Amino acid sequence: MRSSKKQSQEKRKRKHASPDMTLIHHLFGRHGIKRQLYFIYLLALFVPVTMLGIFLIMNTNNLLKNYYSDMVASDNLRIKSIFFEITTQIYNMSENICGDEQLAEILGTDYRAEHAFTTDADAFINGNSYLYNYAEVEELAIYTDNPSISDHRVFRRAEEEEQAQDWFLEASEQSRVLWMPLERTDKYGNRYWNLCLVRRIPQQNDAYHAVLVIKISDNYLRTRVESSDYEMIVSADNGQIVYASDRSLYGQPMHLDIDLNDAHYSYADSMTVDGRRSIVNVSTLNMYQSESRIYICTLNQYAYDDIYRIVRTCVLIVLTAILLPGIMVFVYTHYFTTRVELLREEMHKASHGDYNITADFRGSDEISEAFADLQVMVEKIQEKEAAMYQSQIGEKELMNKQQEMEFKMLASQINPHFLYNTLETIRMNAFAAGDREVATAIKLLGKSLRYVLENTGTASTTLEKEMNYIENYIKIQKLRFGSRIEYQLIVDDAICLKDYQILPLLLQPIVENAILHGLEEKENGGVVTVHIYLDENLHIDISDNGCGMELEQVRKLRNSILVRNPEIKASIGLYNINQRIKLCYGSRYGMSISSVPGKGTMISLVIPPMTDSAM
């Protein structure tokens, strides 16, 4: 009745469960705790931070690009203003020169003497200080084909070479102002380019032509325009570069893709320049009172390096914000699920009757409390089972005592003194008969028998007595095998054999195996070596120089000393020795086997260094 009531209550709870809890159960309840925690990390942190990080990185990239584009555009506007200011001043200067009546009279006069021209020219130049007071003017020259005028200060006689130039012909045939790049060569052969104003000077004498050329100073431009942050390129409307941050570009055609046919061309975006992505701003300056124009290009070749560096930093921050919590979640999930799995395994063991649960369960949270409850439950179950089997244990103890008494009664029937006296009588008879070999064999056998009988039922003996017994045993074997076997004992200097305790009759089966199996095929030169040394534990290595064993044989023998295999008779003694060591000293101690075919076999024992004081 109670169980049916509980089932109905659970059904009502499930029926009235909220939809939110049902959804949560659907999402998480079908998976393990580890997968649930990882799923929560993905939903609560990884996905939101990733989406937010992508948005912030893209927004930062756009903001930085717009910032650098605005800076380049602002610098382009600055340069454009400077060029407009300088070219306007040059134009106004040319207006004053071209409208000067004194100049027109000089250019239209046929001088008979050169000094008359130089006098008029000096008067004109000295009376017009603006001809040499403009810092932005590198050179001002008035070219004329009047043969009576010679080269003097700003005046130049236009020889046939100058008259054949495009700038002279174009300026002579029209009245509009021209702006163009002109090349000049100094006395050292260095070539220079300048942005020049070129225009015709009206004359009173139509038989002659005069052209005004005003060259803007490149050094003046550089002091006004130059910027350490941006590269600048200025070209005329024919595409020829008249100014650039890099002087090697002067006179070359514009290498940027600019529409020279567009009188109001402008461009503001990124562009690949010399294999490098750059932010570029190009604008057109239509010259004052002229149909000429120049294209001003400002570019920042390192903007994208800064943008990429900042974006990489943002990406690194976002990755850190994702990975660091991810690592923490992974570590905590591993820690948490390991404890849950340990609790589950111990509960599973307890549910199947294995109450040997671990006591090493760290922590002070709810899981630790649940494990403590499990320990209490196991203790109570063990107490109840102990009470149930107490009577059976008592019966078994009575049976064991009865068997022990029977064994003692059987052993007491053998009188050791009778055996010793009998063997001694036989030995004396053999000695009297002159058979020393038989007498020696009987003496060794008596010693061995005495050691065996004295240590039957004892828990320990000294290492010295055990080694004496081994020597007696090998001497007996030498009576059988003769010079085929030899024996050597190696003991470290720090070890006194009589100070250390060992289980009695522990080494003889190993030495017997070494002689009977290890040295079986040895015709001569067989050696059994016992090496005793000490580190944290006491080590006893028993080796032979016999035929050795293959790897598969060694593997089977190693398994047989762990799990008894009746089919391998040679391993029964080794199995018993290994079990005696583990039962007496603990599971960390025992036996190991190594062998090399053709070189021999070594069996190593590891036991605790028990002394008389420790016993």
Side-chain angles (χ1 to χ4, degrees), residues 83 87 176-181 195 234-240 242 258-265 283-288 290-296:
F83 268 89
T87 55
R176 66 187 180 91
V177 176
L178 303 175
W179 289 92
M180 59 180 62
L195 178 63
V234 180
S235 69
D237 49 11
N238 63 352
Q240 197 171 27
V242 297
I258 295 177
D259 186 4
L260 300 177
N261 297 321
D262 188 353
H264 302 282
Y265 178 79
S283 63
T284 303
L285 174 61
N286 291 291
M287 297 302 192
Y288 180 69
S290 172
E291 296 181 3
S292 299
R293 57 183 178 273
I294 61 174
Y295 298 94
I296 301 172

Side-chain angles (χ1 to χ4, degrees), residues 335-449:
Y335 167 75
F336 181 76
T337 55
T338 300
R339 298 174 74 231
V340 172
E341 285 294 330
L342 179 59
L343 176 60
R344 178 177 174 274
E345 290 175 1
E346 298 305 313
M347 292 180 68
H348 182 76
K349 288 166 58 177
S351 66
H352 286 76
D354 183 3
Y355 302 125
N356 187 23
I357 63 175
T358 181
D360 186 15
F361 195 91
R362 300 177 182 178
S364 58
D365 54 7
E366 290 82 353
I367 298 178
S368 301
E369 294 174 357
F371 187 80
D373 293 339
L374 175 64
Q375 288 178 317
V376 173
M377 181 185 69
V378 168
E379 289 175 359
K380 291 182 178 180
I381 293 174
Q382 288 177 324
E383 289 176 358
K384 291 180 179 180
E385 289 188 349
M388 290 175 59
Y389 297 120
Q390 188 65 38
S391 59
Q392 297 179 9
I393 294 174
E395 294 177 0
K396 289 182 179 180
E397 287 180 352
L398 291 175
M399 293 176 62
N400 291 336
K401 289 181 179 180
Q402 183 178 358
Q403 292 176 356
E404 183 178 351
M405 292 175 65
E406 292 176 354
F407 176 77
K408 288 182 178 179
M409 291 175 63
L410 180 63
S412 64
Q413 295 176 4
I414 302 175
N415 190 337
H417 295 287
F418 171 74
L419 292 176
Y420 301 151
N421 294 334
T422 302
L423 289 174
E424 181 64 16
T425 301
I426 297 172
R427 187 183 74 85
M428 293 302 297
N429 291 334
F431 185 79
D435 195 344
R436 293 180 176 273
E437 185 175 352
V438 174
T440 301
I442 293 173
K443 181 180 179 180
L444 293 174
L445 179 60
K447 288 183 178 181
S448 298
L449 183 60

Side-chain angles (χ1 to χ4, degrees), residues 185-190:
T185 305
D186 61 11
K187 61 182 180 179
Y188 302 105
N190 298 319

Side-chain angles (χ1 to χ4, degrees), residues 15-16 122 188 211 264 276 280 300 324 342 377 401 404 424-425 430 460 479 592:
K15 182 177 179 180
H16 296 288
D122 289 338
Y188 302 105
V211 176
H264 302 282
R276 194 184 190 96
V280 179
N300 188 342
L324 187 58
L342 179 59
M377 181 185 69
K401 289 181 179 180
E404 183 178 351
E424 181 64 16
T425 301
S460 67
L479 294 174
S592 63

Side-chain angles (χ1 to χ4, degrees), residues 32-229:
I33 294 177
K34 182 180 292 186
R35 294 184 64 182
Q36 291 180 30
L37 292 174
Y38 289 155
F39 189 61
I40 291 173
Y41 164 73
L42 289 175
L43 287 181
L45 193 143
F46 181 82
V47 174
V49 173
T50 301
M51 296 178 63
L52 181 62
I54 293 173
F55 171 77
L56 292 177
I57 290 170
M58 294 178 63
N59 188 57
T60 301
N61 180 73
N62 293 332
L63 289 175
L64 290 172
K65 183 178 178 181
N66 292 335
Y67 167 76
Y68 282 107
S69 297
D70 292 342
M71 295 296 292
V72 172
S74 175
D75 197 68
N76 185 277
L77 181 60
R78 178 184 67 86
I79 297 170
K80 186 175 181 180
S81 300
I82 294 173
F83 268 89
F84 179 77
E85 174 193 343
I86 294 174
T87 55
T88 301
Q89 291 178 354
I90 297 297
Y91 171 80
N92 292 333
M93 179 180 178
S94 69
E95 281 289 299
N96 292 331
I97 294 174
C98 293
D100 195 299
E101 295 181 355
Q102 183 181 2
L103 175 61
E105 182 178 355
I106 293 173
L107 295 174
T109 302
D110 291 326
Y111 290 98
R112 297 182 179 275
E114 184 176 352
H115 72 277
F117 161 70
T118 58
T119 300
D120 292 344
D122 289 338
F124 166 72
I125 295 171
N126 294 333
N128 297 281
S129 59
Y130 58 81
L131 294 177
Y132 47 83
N133 281 341
Y134 281 87
E136 56 265 46
V137 176
E138 180 173 321
E139 183 182 13
L140 185 147
I142 301 173
Y143 291 87
T144 178
D145 55 2
N146 187 342
S148 63
I149 294 178
S150 59
D151 292 347
H152 180 69
R153 298 179 73 176
V154 300
F155 289 92
R156 302 285 189 274
R157 177 184 293 175
E159 303 293 346
E160 293 182 359
E161 182 179 356
E162 283 81 8
Q163 295 180 30
Q165 296 289 330
D166 293 339
W167 58 269
F168 190 90
L169 295 174
E170 189 175 355
S172 300
E173 294 174 357
Q174 54 185 337
S175 59
R176 66 187 180 91
V177 176
L178 303 175
W179 289 92
M180 59 180 62
L182 294 181
E183 181 182 12
R184 65 184 177 87
T185 305
D186 61 11
K187 61 182 180 179
Y188 302 105
N190 298 319
R191 301 172 63 192
Y192 299 92
W193 291 85
N194 297 90
L195 178 63
C196 302
L197 179 144
V198 181
R199 64 180 299 181
R200 186 182 67 184
I201 301 176
Q203 298 188 59
Q204 298 176 353
N205 189 346
D206 294 337
Y208 302 124
H209 301 89
V211 176
L212 172 64
V213 177
I214 302 177
K215 297 180 180 180
I216 298 178
S217 172
D218 183 72
N219 292 330
Y220 178 79
L221 278 177
R222 197 164 293 276
T223 58
R224 291 286 305 275
V225 172
E226 191 65 32
S227 172
S228 59
D229 297 329

